[in-house]
Amino acid sequence: IEIPDEGLDLDGLERSLILRALDKCEGNVTRAARLLGLSRRTLQYRLEKIQGAPDGAAGAPNGASDADD
């Protein structure tokens, strides 16, 4: 990954990667966590952080919860 001279938005990058992994795994949190090299609990924590993001920020897709496993 190239880091531009103006920097990057690390939170935005994390959000994007998580959402892409969930999309690729059809919302399955356990599989998405494995794909990202995280524990399921760590991914759940990060999803909670995304869902609590300020208005206008991308949130976790519907179904990205414990019920997905």
Side-chain angles (χ1 to χ4, degrees):
I1 297 176
E2 286 292 319
I3 300 176
D5 291 337
E6 63 275 4
L8 53 83
D9 175 16
L10 191 56
D11 288 334
L13 180 59
E14 176 185 43
R15 181 180 299 116
S16 177
L17 288 171
I18 288 171
L19 295 177
R20 289 174 67 187
L22 283 168
D23 185 51
K24 184 172 185 143
C25 295
E26 299 177 351
N28 185 291
V29 175
T30 300
R31 286 183 20 222
R34 237 181 266 134
L35 187 64
L36 294 168
L38 302 172
S39 71
R40 184 176 183 276
R41 180 63 200 129
T42 297
L43 181 54
Q44 285 177 316
Y45 167 79
R46 291 177 184 209
L47 282 170
E48 290 166 10
K49 187 172 81 168
I50 289 171
Q51 290 172 332
D55 289 344
N62 290 334
S65 66
D66 291 335
D68 295 337
D69 296 326

